[in-house]
Amino acid sequence: MHRRRLALICSLLIPISIFAQEKGTLKGKIIEESTKRPLSGATVSIKGRPFTCSTDTSGMFVLSSIPAGTYSLVISNIGFQEKILNDVGVVNGKTSYLEAELLQDARQLSAVSVRAFRGENNLSTPVSAYSFSREEIFKSPGAQGDIFRAIGILPGVVSSGGQYSAIAVRGQGTSDNVYMVDDIPVFQVSHLEIEGFNSGFNDPNGGRFSIFAPRVIDNATFQGGGFGAQYGRKNASYLGLGIKEGNRTNPFYSGQFDLLGFTLIYDGPSGVDRKTSVFASARYQDFRLLEKMVGLTRAGFPSYGDYMIKTSTEINAKNKLTFIAMYNPEKYTRDVDNVLDSKNLNDDNNSSFVGRSVVTKGLAGLHLRTLTGRSSYWKNILYYRFLDVNNRLGNSTPAVDTAGNIIKTGSIPYETDLRRIRNKQFETGYRSIFTTRLGRDVTATAGMDLSRVDLDYTRKLKHTDTLYTFNSNDYRPDPAAYYLVLDPVDFNASVKDHAYNASGYLDLSVTLFDRLTLNPGVRYDYTGFTKQNTVAPRLSGSIRLDEKQNINFAAGIYYQDPSYADIASQPMGHLLRNERAYQYILGYKFYFTPDLKFTAEGWYKKLDDLAVQPASGRPYLNNAGTGNAYGFDGSLIKRLSKKFHGQLSYSFMRSKRDDHDGLREYDYIFDLPHVISLLGSYEHNKKWIFSGKFRYATGRPTDTYVVHRNVFNDPGLLRSSQEIVKKNGRRLRDFISLDLRADYKFNSGRIQYTAFFDVVDVLNQFNQNSAIFQPITGRTYYLGLAIFPTFGMRLEF
């Protein structure tokens, strides 16, 4: 009898235990944003589910026995803005760990009005602030997990079409933005920005893909201007990226496999020290298969890898140490077989270019955060970064018929090493930043940055070269010769040098009369390679009109260092100066509902000391350039609630430059009068998510020119040249793109699968990025991209 009862009890417990294994746990820590102190008594609950708890004295919380799935986590505490974390995953039999920061409710807006816009209502950054979560980045249609492609939807932000990921902000260039990764300054954030491809200079379009694999970035904060004094050496915008920290309780493994390659991630305890977690990722991408699918083998073959590890150690209750290391190699080759795949040199995305580019870059950094008092903390960051560019760039001269078709002969004359560029950069830096809250209404941040930069730069031209594109005012010894001759003595450079940079800054945030917040700041910089001292005062603020609306403003001076490649390529003793920008911003925000926000901002910039190239094809630069940019950005953003989220934005952007070279003022390459973006996402159920993104932009400016035929007067060497008569005097076709994405989630045991299909430009409209003159045919062809699909599977366990 007892055995029968025991058997009956066991038979009842077995399905219960199996059911229990089909559930997971959420564990985490809640801290205060302004002091980094743990928050006790904060309420943590799962939206729409009966799971809730409070944090203990160390800020910790635990939610147990949660069915596997994806949820919205609601975090609240008296005196703080309520925060909602969407797309928080729970895995069967696992304990997921997360940390979140709560912003103090500064009495400007009610917590109810701002709860869905986490990270965007810090009154010390009131202007142009937007945030992205890890899941928002991954699921952005057309972004394919790339943080920069996701940011391209924001007002005032443009990219160079689907072919490029680099961003340009409010009329400035792709190299004018501040990028910080876990408080470490980073300059090379893109792959396949081939130095020297564009007549010996960097491509203004920037790189094609970012160095951050999907789901590596845990959070991103973007400001289109008006950022504080603690960020400098670039003058357009600020993007702060936080790398995900490892799960401290259970190991998680995930992998993504698609047409381009794979990404593998480990997220869990170190296995060595119980106080240390590890987040590590490895990504490899090769474009051969995709290029064959979309018919782009003529473009050459790029490949790259991104390898990263981050460790986080809670040394004690007051000290937290993180270590991060990144290694990002890449390779691009194009040979005569790719030229033959072109078939016709006049077709878009064709070129007679051949060569090879090999680039390695990486960084390592230590970050110690110390709680120094009840309302202050101190961050100390030590970092090292490197860049090694090894490019051999050349050209081929295939025979063509009158229509531009390549005539296949026994061999095509070519040389792959006409131009050789070796650019090595090494930087060692230290940052020390102290933040304290002086009562409820005043916060102060003071800091300093020190760094040493070593340059080892060599550029060689194999022999005299002919330039077939030139400006009408370029000096030509023979005015009847409609081309330029580039001699090695005018191109070659060899520099091995080092310099020291130093910065000091102070930012304050003061709330007055419960309605006015002022954020004054000042920044000092010494730039070693320019031997220049600069002082940049800045001010931003916010005026509360009522619980749902406020007015924001900012004004300030921003300096930008010359690029290291430009510094190294100048003649001996010729120093470039830092570029300067004056910024003015006035904005308005209105919260219709807790998840629906309207923003409008007008902005103006005055630019001077811009580095410009007075003679075509030659590396010499001066700081004679001036310019201005102005515009308006408006957006209506609905954050995820119920099953929908979306965004509608419009930007009016004008950007003018004058190089003072006799060609007068012209439209800058990122002068785009009208940009419209529309993003929408629908969560059909817990398994299916559908999203789409539509973008329209006025066509980019390009040069007006005349063509000179048979410039050598030799029927055996037919070449044409392009004489620029007006810089950016016409425009490319308008940019139009519709991107679609579908995600399907399902569980199998302890493994969670996500199948996705992501298509850039489903309309298959060829979007022109730039116009390139082909001297062999005398015609212009265009670089650009049409449909670009990818699909794959992500799994987590």
Side-chain angles (χ1 to χ4, degrees):
M1 180 66 69
H2 290 292
R3 290 181 178 177
R4 290 181 181 177
R5 289 178 179 175
L6 182 60
L8 179 60
I9 292 172
C10 289
S11 66
L12 292 173
L13 288 177
I14 287 174
I16 293 174
S17 64
I18 293 175
F19 181 77
Q21 290 174 0
E22 295 299 311
K23 296 185 178 182
T25 300
L26 274 178
K27 182 180 180 180
K29 186 176 184 180
I30 309 301
I31 63 178
E32 183 180 349
E33 190 276 338
S34 63
T35 66
K36 309 304 178 186
R37 289 278 174 178
L39 275 176
S40 63
T43 300
V44 182
S45 60
I46 294 180
K47 187 176 180 180
R49 293 293 187 113
F51 297 95
T52 186
C53 67
S54 297
T55 57
D56 60 20
T57 55
S58 61
M60 300 297 297
F61 73 90
V62 178
L63 293 171
S64 304
S65 300
I66 308 170
T70 303
Y71 301 95
S72 293
L73 202 64
V74 182
I75 308 168
S76 61
N77 197 24
I78 296 174
F80 293 86
Q81 296 179 15
E82 184 178 87
K83 174 176 283 190
I84 298 178
L85 301 180
N86 293 311
D87 298 307
V88 177
V90 176
V91 179
N92 294 334
K94 295 272 190 173
T95 298
S96 301
Y97 182 88
L98 60 87
E99 288 192 3
E101 298 182 356
L102 289 189
L103 280 168
Q104 186 179 13
D105 181 8
R107 295 172 286 179
Q108 291 276 340
L109 292 170
S110 68
V112 174
S113 296
V114 300
R115 66 179 185 233
F117 294 91
R118 60 190 183 90
E120 298 180 17
N121 289 281
N122 187 340
L123 293 175
S124 64
T125 57
V127 180
S128 310
Y130 300 90
S131 64
F132 288 85
S133 69
R134 188 181 185 214
E135 290 296 329
E136 286 173 329
I137 297 167
F138 177 73
K139 294 177 181 177
S140 177
Q144 299 170 348
D146 191 318
I147 174 62
F148 294 101
R149 293 175 186 269
I151 284 177
I153 194 70
L154 293 178
V157 180
V158 295
S159 65
S160 300
Q163 191 174 10
Y164 298 86
S165 69
I167 59 172
V169 182
R170 290 183 169 177
Q172 293 188 247
T174 57
S175 60
D176 299 342
N177 309 303
V178 178
Y179 299 119
M180 305 291 289
V181 177
D182 282 355
D183 290 315
I184 299 172
V186 180
F187 300 100
Q188 292 82 25
V189 295
S190 296
H191 284 297
L192 306 176
E193 182 178 358
I194 303 172
E195 182 179 347
F197 176 76
N198 188 20
S199 301
F201 300 94
N202 290 339
D203 191 330
N205 294 302
R208 274 70 169 174
F209 299 90
S210 84
I211 61 175
F212 303 102
R215 300 181 62 77
V216 164
I217 302 299
D218 184 59
N219 58 83
T221 301
F222 174 80
Q223 281 188 269
F227 47 92
Q230 63 181 293
Y231 308 114
R233 301 201 172 274
K234 298 289 183 178
N235 61 15
S237 71
Y238 160 76
L239 177 62
L241 303 175
I243 303 296
K244 188 183 184 307
E245 291 194 358
N247 194 303
R248 298 181 185 177
T249 52
N250 293 133
F252 284 75
Y253 306 89
S254 63
Q256 177 175 318
F257 306 90
D258 55 39
L259 282 175
L260 298 179
F262 65 86
T263 302
L264 302 176
I265 292 177
Y266 171 79
D267 179 3
S270 67
V272 177
D273 178 16
R274 64 181 181 84
K275 293 184 176 181
T276 301
S277 65
V278 174
F279 182 84
S281 70
R283 172 173 72 166
Y284 178 74
Q285 306 271 261
D286 191 306
F287 286 72
R288 292 175 186 267
L289 178 60
L290 181 61
E291 287 183 348
K292 290 179 181 178
M293 177 178 292
V294 298
L296 269 179
T297 55
R298 61 185 180 271
F301 296 116
S303 63
Y304 57 81
D306 297 297
Y307 310 97
M308 191 214 67
I309 185 170
K310 177 178 179 178
T311 66
S312 303
T313 304
E314 292 280 357
I315 299 174
N316 51 43
K318 292 186 176 181
N319 292 278
K320 181 178 181 180
L321 178 67
T322 61
F323 167 76
I324 183 173
M326 298 174 61
Y327 178 63
N328 311 98
E330 66 178 65
K331 182 171 72 172
Y332 169 75
T333 58
R334 190 172 193 265
D335 56 28
V336 290
D337 290 334
N338 301 127
V339 176
L340 287 173
D341 287 342
S342 300
K343 295 184 173 54
N344 190 306
L345 287 185
N346 293 327
D347 290 343
D348 292 330
N349 283 327
N350 289 344
S351 174
S352 53
F353 164 81
V354 292
R356 180 180 181 183
S357 172
V358 179
V359 178
T360 55
K361 50 196 166 193
L363 67 84
L366 281 170
H367 186 299
L368 177 64
R369 190 188 73 196
T370 303
L371 304 182
T372 56
R374 294 182 59 86
S375 58
S376 62
Y377 64 97
W378 186 20
K379 295 189 293 187
N380 287 279
I381 302 106
L382 182 66
Y383 67 90
Y384 171 80
R385 69 163 191 92
F386 73 90
L387 171 71
D388 188 343
V389 176
N390 188 357
N391 288 351
R392 297 186 175 207
L393 312 174
N395 211 352
S396 63
T397 54
V400 298
D401 61 21
T402 55
N405 296 305
I406 296 176
I407 301 172
K408 293 188 177 181
T409 58
S411 63
I412 296 177
Y414 71 94
E415 52 183 340
T416 60
D417 59 348
L418 175 59
R419 300 169 186 242
R420 296 190 60 181
I421 295 176
R422 192 69 190 268
N423 180 4
K424 295 196 228 180
Q425 302 175 16
F426 309 92
E427 180 175 354
T428 303
Y430 169 67
R431 305 188 71 214
S432 183
I433 309 165
F434 180 77
T435 299
T436 182
R437 194 173 66 198
L438 306 173
R440 179 178 175 84
D441 297 326
V442 180
T443 301
T445 297
M448 69 171 188
D449 300 349
L450 301 172
S451 67
R452 169 176 165 142
V453 180
D454 290 80
L455 297 182
D456 186 354
Y457 184 91
T458 304
R459 187 180 64 237
K460 290 184 179 180
L461 183 65
K462 186 176 180 180
H463 55 72
T464 299
D465 192 17
T466 303
L467 304 181
Y468 296 99
T469 296
F470 61 95
N471 291 323
S472 57
N473 65 337
D474 282 330
Y475 172 73
R476 306 191 305 278
D478 180 2
Y482 294 106
Y483 55 87
L484 299 176
V485 175
L486 181 62
D487 193 273
V489 71
D490 295 323
F491 182 86
N492 294 351
S494 181
V495 175
K496 191 170 185 178
D497 199 1
H498 70 273
Y500 295 92
N501 296 329
S503 304
Y505 39 85
L506 174 65
D507 277 315
L508 297 175
S509 183
V510 182
T511 300
L512 303 171
F513 317 118
D514 290 345
R515 287 183 175 270
L516 173 64
T517 297
L518 295 176
N519 306 302
V522 63
R523 180 182 179 92
Y524 162 80
D525 287 297
Y526 171 74
T527 306
F529 281 118
T530 66
K531 302 187 185 307
Q532 188 174 356
N533 296 276
T534 59
V535 177
R538 301 173 189 178
L539 174 68
S540 67
S542 178
I543 303 172
R544 180 177 69 93
L545 301 179
D546 56 37
E547 277 87 11
K548 290 189 175 183
Q549 56 185 332
N550 61 3
I551 293 175
N552 306 313
F553 56 88
I557 300 176
Y558 297 78
Y559 287 93
Q560 177 163 302
D561 296 358
S563 75
Y564 293 134
D566 287 342
I567 290 170
S569 63
Q570 298 309 298
M572 183 87 56
H574 175 60
L575 298 181
L576 294 174
R577 296 196 302 276
N578 295 342
E579 297 182 343
R580 180 170 54 187
Y582 299 87
Q583 293 189 18
Y584 307 92
I585 302 172
L586 180 63
Y588 170 77
K589 292 181 185 179
F590 184 84
Y591 295 86
F592 293 96
T593 63
D595 63 348
L596 184 61
K597 177 178 72 170
F598 170 76
T599 64
E601 284 188 355
W603 51 272
Y604 174 80
K605 300 178 183 180
K606 179 183 176 182
L607 311 168
D608 58 22
D609 288 338
L610 300 176
V612 295
Q613 180 185 6
S616 298
R618 285 163 173 77
Y620 177 83
L621 304 175
N622 61 37
N623 288 96
T626 59
N628 65 82
Y630 58 91
F632 167 83
D633 297 327
S635 66
L636 185 65
I637 302 175
K638 183 185 183 302
R639 279 292 164 84
L640 182 63
S641 62
K642 297 182 180 179
K643 295 186 176 183
F644 303 93
H645 82 270
Q647 175 181 319
L648 172 64
S649 64
Y650 167 76
S651 295
F652 172 76
M653 289 185 288
R654 302 309 308 262
S655 183
K656 307 289 185 179
R657 297 289 175 97
D658 190 340
D659 296 349
H660 295 277
D661 56 359
L663 295 180
R664 300 182 180 179
E665 185 180 73
Y666 60 94
D667 293 336
Y668 186 52
I669 190 171
F670 292 105
D671 175 271
L672 300 174
H674 305 289
V675 179
I676 299 173
S677 299
L678 177 63
L679 170 70
S681 177
Y682 170 66
E683 184 177 316
H684 179 66
N685 51 38
K686 290 300 181 182
K687 292 185 176 181
W688 283 102
I689 299 177
F690 302 96
S691 55
K693 177 171 61 181
F694 173 80
R695 291 174 294 167
Y696 164 84
T698 306
R700 290 173 56 177
T702 191
D703 296 325
T704 302
Y705 60 89
V706 296
V707 176
H708 301 282
R709 305 285 180 181
N710 193 11
V711 295
F712 298 122
N713 196 25
D714 182 354
L717 183 62
L718 292 174
R719 293 292 184 270
S720 300
S721 68
Q722 177 189 50
E723 181 179 357
I724 308 300
V725 295
K726 185 175 182 181
K727 288 184 181 179
N728 293 345
R730 62 188 182 96
R731 290 188 179 270
L732 302 176
R733 283 202 311 245
D734 291 352
F735 174 91
I736 298 175
S737 179
L738 175 63
D739 307 336
L740 297 178
R741 181 183 176 101
D743 292 84
Y744 177 71
K745 285 186 176 183
F746 60 96
N747 291 350
S748 178
R750 292 190 175 185
I751 302 178
Q752 184 180 83
Y753 298 87
T754 302
F756 62 89
F757 184 59
D758 198 358
V759 184
V760 176
D761 194 6
V762 71
L763 300 176
N764 199 25
Q765 172 170 313
F766 184 79
N767 285 301
Q768 301 170 344
N769 296 313
S770 54
I772 308 294
F773 182 73
Q774 173 55 262
I776 296 177
T777 65
R779 297 277 298 276
T780 297
Y781 65 94
Y782 297 92
L783 297 181
L785 190 70
I787 191 169
F788 188 85
T790 188
F791 54 86
M793 177 75 71
R794 177 168 62 91
L795 53 98
E796 296 179 282
F797 58 94

